Amino acid sequence: MSEAVKNMILHVELEITGGLILMGTDAPEQMGFPVKQGKNVNINLELDTKEEADRLFHALSDGKAERVQSETDKRMSLTKITEKGIGLLEELHQPMQEFATALDKLYSHKELVELSELCERIIAIDIKPEGEHQ
């Protein structure tokens, strides 16, 4: 193993909103990770239920993502973002950057944290169809 690889990040994690954990690692070609410039990001979501995984997949299944069976673990399926999905991400990048910049100018860090927490609470509400009681 080269000295450059020895100095890479093995594992880092940062807890973000909603109890989610953002994890990262350097993934060099020398360790079997093919590097394709601009397309070398992997996202791992560990969901509580199959239903939640299906819900998220179906939200992207109009050609923006495809499900692929893991070659190494048959119990696991992977979701791969397609070229159409990458196009959407590229299309949204600039407007999202502009939106984030505008928020940074309008609100303090404390206010943005409060807004984020409020949004998390709203997302967590289990809204039942009319006529159903909680």
Side-chain angles (χ1 to χ4, degrees):
M1 183 179 304
S2 71
E3 286 302 313
V5 172
K6 287 180 184 178
N7 289 322
M8 289 183 167
I9 295 171
L10 175 64
H11 179 82
V12 63
E13 63 181 57
L14 173 67
E15 188 169 339
I16 57 176
T17 61
L20 298 175
I21 298 174
L22 180 63
M23 300 166 59
T25 183
D26 282 323
E29 268 187 290
Q30 298 93 324
M31 296 179 77
F33 298 98
V35 177
K36 187 173 182 185
Q37 190 64 30
K39 300 185 188 310
N40 51 347
V41 174
N42 294 302
I43 299 172
N44 177 46
L45 295 176
E46 294 183 17
L47 304 167
D48 293 330
T49 65
K50 180 183 181 313
E51 291 75 23
E52 181 67 1
D54 288 341
R55 184 189 71 76
L56 290 173
F57 176 76
H58 290 299
L60 295 169
S61 64
D62 63 344
K64 295 179 189 81
E66 63 184 6
R67 207 169 254 177
V68 180
Q69 187 70 40
S70 170
E71 293 178 14
T72 58
D73 187 343
K74 297 300 177 192
R75 300 168 297 172
M76 181 172 56
S77 65
L78 308 171
T79 300
K80 177 182 173 186
I81 297 176
T82 63
E83 289 299 321
K84 183 178 178 182
I86 291 169
L88 176 63
L89 292 173
E90 290 170 349
E91 181 182 321
L92 292 174
H93 179 75
Q94 185 66 30
M96 292 302 293
Q97 287 294 108
E98 291 170 5
F99 180 69
T101 299
L103 285 178
D104 283 342
K105 289 179 182 175
L106 292 171
Y107 302 102
S108 69
H109 175 73
K110 182 181 178 209
E111 289 171 318
L112 291 172
V113 169
E114 290 170 354
L115 176 61
S116 176
E117 290 170 352
L118 180 59
C119 289
E120 285 179 37
R121 289 176 36 210
I122 291 169
I123 291 169
I125 295 172
D126 186 17
I127 299 174
K128 303 287 184 190
E130 195 170 317
E132 256 186 65
H133 298 287
Q134 293 191 19

